[in-house]
Amino acid sequence: MPPPSLRLLFPHSSPLSKSSFLGYSLSRSLFCIPRSPITPRSPLTALCYFGARRRRATGGGGGGSGRKTSGGRGTRGGGVFHQRRRASTLREERDRARAPEMEGKEETLGFNKRRAEGRDKSDKPKALQLKTRKLNPVNTICYVQILGTGMDTQDTSPSVLLFFDKQRFIFNAGEGLQRFCTEHKIKLSKIDHIFLTRVCSETAGGLPGLLLTLAGIGEEGMSVNIWGPSDLNYLVDAMRSFIPNAAMVHAHSFGVTVNGDGTMLSSSQFGKFRDPITIIDDEVVCISSIPLNPSYSNGSTLKPGDIAVIYACELPEIKGKFDPVKAAALGLKPGPKYRELQLGNSVMSDRLNITVHPSDVLGPSSPGPIILLVDCPTKFHMTALLSAESLNCYYRDSDHQPKANTKTVNCVIHLGPAIVTKSADYQKWMKRFGTAQHIMAGHEIRNIEIPILKSSARISSQLNYLCPQLFPACGCWSSQQINELSLESNELCEDSSSTPCEIIQAENLLKFHLRPYSQLGLDRSAIPDSLNHEEVIAHLLSEIPEIADVSKNVNQFQRSSAEVKLSKSEKDDNCNMVEEPWLSASSSVNNVHAEKQGRDSFEEDIPCLNDRWNDNLKDEHDIPACLENISREDMEIVLLGTGSSQPSKYRNVSSIFVNLFSRGSLLLDCGEGTLGQLKRRFGIKGADDAVKGLKCIWVSHIHADHHTGLARILALRCQLLKDIPHKPLLVIGPRPLKRFIDAYSKLEDLDMQFLDCRHTLEASMDDFHGSLDSRGQFPENSDRGGSEAEDIASHRVESSLFAPHSKMQSYWKRPGSPVDTAIALPVLMRLKELLSEAGLEFLYSVPVVHCPQAFGVVLKAAERPNSLGKTIPGWKLVYSGDTRPCQALINASRDATLLIHEATFEDTMEDEAIARNHSTTKEAVGVGTSAGAYRVVLTHFSQRYPKIPVFNEADMQRTCIAFDLMTVNLADLPMLPKFLPYLKVLFRNEMVGDESDDVHESFIY
Ligand SMILES: [Zn+2]
Ligand SMILES: [Zn+2]
């Protein structure tokens, strides 16, 4: 039997070597020829931003400083955005800026070689200082506020903000917190401390992205203190795989440490385990934590991630009013001594030889307000909760504490799920706090009709009105969904006896004031109204009246296209061409146009409603055989996130859901908030089904905007399939991702199998298939388990080639070596099985030019019957990941049915694109043209284009721009480019960027 593949699988020659381009001339500068695009170097590329940021500062600033200047840069065709953005900030500074980036002759090759090879992080890391603030305990304003992340989509735990005018604390940082803060104008730069009530993806999924964003703010960068139970160490360890700068993570854990085997160690930091543990104790607040360990009835030991924490926030007592008459009588002059007395310090009298004490001049003080944050995630934590001695001082009915010493809790925020908080024991426990206000903030079944991210929900609503085919109604806020869920939420509490507790359901931005004392209590004034689709559309029609015609037009041409397709296919099965309805004299476009003659002439501004647009439509290509009468249940992609760098108001970060309907689904990239976006598209339950149906997740590279949503998806899948037999989910990604997942798995069960992208290069896959026997089996694998086969394969390679412990042996064992490949064989077998279940012929990763170990991906479907039962060839889908235009990807995209290509920058920002190894719009379109791709969708837009990127319409013959939640069904591909001019109408008033949309141009993407 032949041994498994022994070929060295690194490409020997550059994958970017030149070849003929198909009918499109691209300048040499578009292409890059690195010596070795996949250097097995340190994966810690994140630091590359330091150079980039500095460069931007030299080049005239990013962000939006020049946004309002009128560039006067007309765009051909559209003309809608001509006043909108400044020209490239870097252009004038090109020579100066390029010098350190482009080494020698690479300067002309159009990519940043240092960055592509991971060498550009030699710039000195920033100091990332923590903030120090002058506190003002007198006249402090203070409140707690519910930051309702996940309250509409139920994908994460809401956060709670503890606000002081000089200090901010946030409890929990689930996915989407950053995006939430941008939307609601909560300044992340003002946050001093983040506390976690548990350490898991539900409560901490937003942390990595948040830390990276903070590090990108200002010249020096910022950081924040993170506090959590000892499990926090696992998270910090995992984050190190992509946040290499230790200065960015100021993490502090407390309480007992749980080993992987369930044994406990005392935390070294706090010495002997004390309860409660005081974390913050300054002039304005004392925050302490009370950890809750679950006790399992079946005797299971404690696992990492099990500890939950109660946080108690106590404000200092409120001093009585200062009496100036008394002060004068004691010989004091108005001045700094007044303040000292108010702060609680004694002073010498100015006129008399006496010491004046605060009690001499202040009225009686009252106790400071107290709030508790309680996260009791399971019934197993109840025993610890009910018996926690540190809580005794807060109980009104305590037997252990004389009543006089009882502290009065003003507000308790409950983060546990309803299944716990509605139990009789919990309800009884709640009553022990007397008159405290209880806020139930478990992230379930509430506020479902009020989207937390209103701005993007509004745009989704508008896009749905304009073009429901590409933008189906949002899954989350449909009335059916709301009805279903509210039925569930109305289950009665176990303890149905009337309760004296003041209970209120948390709502987004609900406040409870603690200071000034006169305002103590709830404040609902900031709670947003519900978003009503009809109102959004009414408002849109008042702003852009002609949108009604555009919408009618889109819908008509969609309908007539479907009808023509149908009648055509009945007549002639062999004909690939579909007669385009809009070319006939009776086409809807012409009709609408004719109707409009003589009325307000806005046609000039709306290309899709004028004659020139009709000419434009005549360029329709042949429809490829793989799309002939294709069923609508074949394949559909949903662009879950279309922005780069960090989640913003209108665009989430990268993720593409590939829906294969009955054959399951795939995710290509999985940025933060992927789960939330799935919920927005498919609804709460629909998203759960989508997660259950995943065959595989493919991740392009290690930048945080492409993978930080992975843990949440994997953790949820585990939970959903807990009682159902299933196999681990296959995650294909760059090798550095494995380090993250391995470290993270110690904290939370992810139940996945990893496959290095390099094992899925075309050459590797060919070798793998070549090593299979005639039955398509791995020869050694036929009667043995996977791991045994692994051992045999790697042992055979090793023992046949090298002396034990020799230098060569360890060299041979490095990542990507044949031994490594042999270990991957069982996983490749699994991939083969999954692909065949999904109706796919192959999946290849393609090395691209961005950072070390960055890849694109090609998916090819197997032959299949179309809606008429005829066998048609399979479609081919290519996704670029992040990259400069790159020959390897062009080759891989040859005759693709659909190419999804990044287009981070507009055409005038080529220099920036080169410096950061991204593509401009024109370059991305050029790759599609060179490869002969049938359709191109552009995505990964810089967040400097909040709503719609800048592009040249003349380039868009086969191309469409992606928007978040855009859904592209294969059956709609022929029409896809036609939609773009209609969609543009929606943004015609966006001439100048809204200042409030500004985002920090972050660093890693
Ligand atoms: Zn990116
Ligand atoms: Zn990137």
Side-chain angles (χ1 to χ4, degrees):
M1 273 183 285
S5 163
L6 289 179
R7 237 178 68 182
L8 189 64
L9 294 174
F10 282 121
H12 296 285
S13 58
S14 161
L16 312 172
S17 52
K18 281 188 166 182
S19 76
S20 60
F21 303 149
L22 283 181
Y24 190 85
S25 131
L26 285 165
S27 82
R28 182 169 146 75
S29 71
L30 290 184
F31 294 92
C32 29
I33 309 168
R35 284 182 210 108
S36 160
I38 327 168
T39 342
R41 274 171 191 282
S42 153
L44 306 177
T45 56
L47 276 182
C48 50
Y49 81 95
F50 293 120
R53 262 189 37 75
R54 205 154 298 157
R55 222 169 29 251
R56 201 164 49 249
T58 346
S65 54
R67 185 158 288 173
K68 290 211 164 156
T69 56
S70 156
R73 185 170 37 80
T75 50
R76 275 179 290 152
V80 182
F81 305 105
H82 58 284
Q83 282 193 315
R84 191 170 149 189
R85 309 279 185 220
R86 69 196 180 284
S88 164
T89 52
L90 282 187
R91 199 159 276 279
E92 313 99 62
E93 304 276 344
R94 149 193 283 167
D95 296 337
R96 189 148 43 110
R98 262 193 184 187
E101 294 303 330
M102 303 295 153
E103 291 182 340
K105 69 185 171 77
E106 272 83 23
E107 186 168 349
T108 54
L109 297 181
F111 81 108
N112 179 343
K113 185 166 178 295
R114 289 180 66 85
R115 177 177 268 233
E117 294 180 354
R119 289 186 293 119
D120 62 344
K121 54 179 182 285
S122 52
D123 298 80
K124 255 202 272 157
K126 292 187 281 190
L128 292 148
Q129 293 300 318
L130 287 166
K131 298 148 283 260
T132 45
R133 304 192 197 287
K134 203 162 187 296
L135 301 177
N136 173 15
V138 183
N139 303 325
T140 302
I141 294 173
C142 173
Y143 56 82
V144 279
Q145 185 171 33
I146 306 293
L147 307 184
T149 54
M151 278 187 148
D152 52 348
T153 49
Q154 300 181 18
D155 60 315
T156 70
S157 172
S159 296
V160 177
L161 170 72
L162 175 61
F163 177 99
F164 293 91
D165 31 15
K166 292 279 169 55
Q167 219 174 176
R168 316 278 152 90
F169 306 90
I170 282 188
F171 296 85
N172 289 343
E175 286 186 282
L177 177 61
Q178 254 193 99
R179 210 174 169 205
F180 177 93
C181 290
T182 312
E183 168 94 24
H184 297 286
K185 301 192 167 49
I186 294 167
K187 283 212 157 59
L188 285 170
S189 55
K190 299 242 165 102
I191 309 295
D192 305 85
H193 299 270
I194 295 176
F195 302 92
L196 301 177
T197 58
R198 278 176 291 144
V199 187
C200 57
S201 57
E202 200 184 325
T203 52
L207 212 47
L210 196 86
L211 293 178
L212 291 167
T213 298
L214 284 173
I217 295 177
E219 269 310 293
E220 281 307 311
M222 289 187 174
S223 189
V224 65
N225 282 296
I226 305 156
W227 300 87
S230 52
D231 305 331
L232 182 59
N233 301 332
Y234 292 102
L235 179 65
V236 170
D237 191 36
M239 288 196 299
R240 289 227 166 90
S241 43
F242 59 92
I243 306 180
N245 182 1
M248 284 164 71
V249 187
H250 292 266
H252 316 267
S253 62
F254 49 78
V256 292
T257 300
V258 184
N259 278 334
D261 59 3
T263 56
M264 289 185 222
L265 295 173
S266 280
S267 159
S268 54
Q269 191 173 358
F270 283 88
K272 201 169 167 298
F273 176 40
R274 284 169 295 126
D275 191 13
I277 301 159
T278 304
I279 296 172
I280 307 280
D281 192 1
D282 60 27
E283 298 95 315
V284 297
V285 68
C286 172
I287 300 179
S288 53
S289 74
I290 303 160
L292 301 178
N293 297 340
S295 29
Y296 296 109
S297 44
N298 61 4
S300 312
T301 49
L302 204 59
K303 295 188 304 296
D306 271 356
I307 302 171
V309 178
I310 297 175
Y311 289 101
C313 311
E314 301 187 9
L315 272 63
E317 62 170 12
I318 296 156
K319 303 270 176 353
K321 247 184 136 161
F322 184 83
D323 188 341
V325 179
K326 280 185 185 169
L330 293 167
L332 279 169
K333 294 182 195 158
K337 285 185 181 172
Y338 275 30
R339 187 179 149 77
E340 281 302 310
L341 285 163
Q342 281 172 309
L343 289 171
N345 304 320
S346 302
V347 296
M348 280 303 292
S349 167
D350 294 309
R351 298 201 184 95
L352 308 171
N353 187 23
I354 53 166
T355 304
V356 182
H357 301 287
S359 54
D360 301 335
V361 291
L362 298 175
S365 57
S366 36
I370 297 174
I371 61 148
L372 297 181
L373 271 106
V374 182
D375 190 355
C376 184
T378 70
K379 61 182 194 303
F380 303 111
H381 291 80
M382 283 295 289
T383 318
L385 177 75
L386 300 180
S387 60
E389 285 193 7
S390 308
L391 290 173
N392 285 342
C393 60
Y394 303 119
Y395 296 143
R396 304 299 293 176
D397 62 349
S398 176
D399 304 327
H400 310 278
Q401 195 93 17
K403 288 267 189 287
N405 289 352
T406 303
K407 299 180 185 175
T408 304
V409 176
N410 300 81
C411 175
V412 187
I413 299 176
H414 302 266
L415 294 163
I419 190 155
V420 174
T421 57
K422 287 188 175 178
S423 71
D425 282 349
Y426 197 93
Q427 293 277 315
K428 220 164 109 191
W429 173 78
M430 282 168 63
K431 288 180 195 168
R432 303 189 67 184
F433 294 98
T435 54
Q437 172 70 58
H438 294 272
I439 300 178
M440 311 310 289
H443 67 98
E444 45 193 12
I445 332 286
R446 73 175 54 86
N447 278 350
I448 212 96
E449 69 279 15
I450 308 178
I452 296 304
L453 303 173
K454 245 181 170 174
S455 308
S456 66
R458 195 174 291 120
I459 285 204
S460 296
S461 231
Q462 294 172 348
L463 286 164
N464 167 253
Y465 167 78
L466 193 59
C467 189
Q469 201 151 350
L470 292 186
F471 301 93
C474 170
C476 239
W477 308 297
S478 71
S479 46
Q480 188 200 349
Q481 180 99 33
I482 291 165
N483 291 340
E484 275 174 23
L485 291 166
S486 55
L487 279 178
E488 286 173 24
S489 70
N490 286 339
E491 291 161 21
L492 284 171
C493 297
E494 280 179 34
D495 181 8
S496 52
S497 65
S498 69
T499 158
C501 289
E502 288 288 330
I503 294 180
I504 184 173
Q505 296 295 316
E507 287 184 72
N508 185 27
L509 301 179
L510 171 72
K511 282 182 189 173
F512 187 93
H513 285 282
L514 301 168
R515 279 205 168 143
Y517 198 65
S518 58
Q519 289 180 20
L520 189 79
L522 289 168
D523 175 359
R524 302 175 57 92
S525 62
I527 297 174
D529 305 331
S530 60
L531 186 80
N532 176 308
H533 179 73
E534 284 69 38
E535 281 169 23
V536 171
I537 301 312
H539 185 247
L540 174 67
L541 289 170
S542 71
E543 275 197 329
I544 311 177
E546 51 275 34
I547 208 88
D549 290 312
V550 177
S551 165
K552 204 159 72 187
N553 204 348
V554 175
N555 289 314
Q556 273 176 7
F557 105 69
Q558 276 175 12
R559 251 201 318 279
S560 46
S561 159
E563 281 160 16
V564 169
K565 257 191 201 165
L566 200 66
S567 61
K568 196 73 192 163
S569 59
E570 281 163 2
K571 272 187 265 168
D572 182 6
D573 280 3
N574 297 323
C575 179
N576 291 354
M577 285 287 290
V578 169
E579 186 193 328
E580 300 298 346
W582 44 77
L583 298 184
S584 69
S586 62
S587 91
S588 52
V589 174
N590 279 342
N591 275 349
V592 172
H593 180 57
E595 278 171 27
K596 302 302 284 179
Q597 295 279 329
R599 287 170 50 185
D600 298 343
S601 73
F602 54 77
E603 289 86 353
E604 280 305 305
D605 292 339
I606 306 180
C608 57
L609 293 184
N610 70 27
D611 290 332
R612 286 199 306 276
W613 175 242
N614 288 338
D615 294 339
N616 188 24
L617 292 175
K618 287 176 187 146
D619 297 333
E620 185 53 32
H621 318 263
D622 292 356
I623 291 176
C626 64
L627 295 182
E628 189 192 326
N629 292 308
I630 197 153
S631 121
R632 291 197 74 83
E633 307 272 282
D634 196 312
M635 192 269 269
E636 185 169 274
I637 58 157
V638 183
L639 293 134
L640 297 173
T642 59
S644 69
S645 175
Q646 72 200 52
S648 74
K649 210 160 153 184
Y650 302 104
R651 293 183 188 271
N652 204 49
V653 286
S654 293
S655 183
I656 300 166
F657 181 73
V658 181
N659 190 353
L660 302 169
F661 297 91
S662 59
R663 294 164 187 265
S665 57
L666 283 82
L667 273 174
L668 307 180
D669 277 336
C670 195
E672 179 188 334
T674 295
L675 180 59
Q677 291 292 82
L678 274 175
K679 302 236 174 192
R680 288 181 184 103
R681 171 62 185 83
F682 294 110
I684 309 289
K685 292 212 166 86
D688 286 353
D689 292 339
V691 170
K692 282 193 263 184
L694 281 173
K695 296 278 177 207
C696 152
I697 301 180
W698 180 91
V699 175
S700 63
H701 65 295
I702 194 67
H703 286 165
D705 56 331
H706 295 260
H707 72 85
T708 44
L710 189 59
R712 185 77 200 103
I713 297 266
L714 292 174
L716 176 69
R717 179 178 177 270
C718 263
Q719 197 187 316
L720 293 171
L721 296 176
K722 205 167 50 192
D723 303 318
I724 305 169
H726 66 280
K727 289 186 175 167
L729 186 63
L730 185 65
V731 174
I732 306 175
R735 193 170 190 91
L737 185 65
K738 182 171 178 358
R739 278 199 13 201
F740 168 72
I741 295 175
D742 284 349
Y744 192 91
S745 309
K746 290 183 189 147
L747 179 66
E748 206 167 2
D749 192 6
L750 299 182
D751 195 16
M752 52 74 61
Q753 235 181 340
F754 185 82
L755 183 60
D756 190 331
C757 280
R758 286 177 302 186
H759 292 307
T760 60
L761 301 181
E762 188 172 2
S764 315
M765 294 298 274
D766 286 351
D767 279 357
F768 162 67
H769 285 118
S771 70
L772 300 180
D773 63 19
S774 55
R775 292 169 301 158
Q777 295 290 314
F778 177 44
E780 285 90 341
N781 204 20
S782 44
D783 51 1
R784 290 194 185 97
S787 66
E788 203 180 334
E790 255 174 51
D791 292 347
I792 291 171
S794 68
H795 180 73
R796 176 188 300 193
V797 173
E798 207 178 315
S799 58
S800 61
L801 288 174
F802 307 111
H805 312 299
S806 68
K807 247 189 186 166
M808 271 310 281
Q809 188 193 37
S810 59
Y811 168 77
W812 204 240
K813 273 186 159 175
R814 81 197 193 290
S817 74
V819 170
D820 197 46
T821 306
I823 289 167
L825 284 175
V827 195
L828 285 165
M829 283 302 289
R830 174 94 180 104
L831 172 62
K832 183 170 174 277
E833 189 186 310
L834 287 172
L835 291 176
S836 109
E837 285 169 23
L840 299 177
E841 193 180 313
F842 62 73
L843 175 155
Y844 294 147
S845 298
V846 183
V848 295
V849 180
H850 179 57
C851 65
Q853 305 207 46
F855 298 89
V857 68
V858 185
L859 293 175
K860 174 83 164 50
E863 278 190 347
R864 55 196 51 228
N866 65 9
S867 60
L868 304 175
K870 184 185 161 193
T871 301
I872 51 169
W875 42 262
K876 178 172 171 182
L877 169 68
V878 181
Y879 166 51
S880 70
D882 286 4
T883 185
R884 288 289 301 144
C886 135
Q887 189 61 47
L889 194 77
I890 293 178
N891 297 342
S893 310
R894 202 65 72 202
D895 302 322
T897 319
L898 175 62
L899 167 66
I900 304 170
H901 201 288
E902 74 123 293
T904 311
F905 296 105
E906 65 188 283
D907 296 343
T908 55
M909 298 187 70
E910 194 187 328
D911 293 348
E912 188 107 359
I914 291 171
R916 292 157 176 257
N917 287 337
H918 284 295
S919 304
T920 65
T921 306
K922 200 183 191 75
E923 288 170 338
V925 170
V927 169
T929 313
S930 300
Y934 176 62
R935 291 289 178 254
V936 180
V937 167
L938 302 181
T939 186
H940 196 268
F941 302 112
S942 162
Q943 304 290 12
R944 76 184 62 218
Y945 315 112
K947 289 184 185 164
I948 187 165
V950 177
F951 58 87
N952 186 341
E953 218 164 74
D955 296 334
M956 296 290 169
Q957 302 297 334
R958 59 175 85 191
T959 304
C960 194
I961 297 289
F963 295 87
D964 273 23
L965 304 183
M966 184 163 103
T967 301
V968 181
N969 192 293
L970 266 195
D972 297 332
L973 274 193
M975 292 197 295
L976 189 62
K978 317 277 182 238
F979 287 114
L980 188 55
Y982 294 95
L983 300 179
K984 269 181 71 172
V985 179
L986 198 56
F987 303 98
R988 66 196 305 252
N989 294 340
E990 307 287 326
M991 309 281 272
V992 177
D994 171 0
E995 202 62 21
S996 67
D997 294 339
D998 277 2
V999 289
H1000 294 281
E1001 198 68 25
S1002 184
F1003 43 94
I1004 303 176
Y1005 54 100

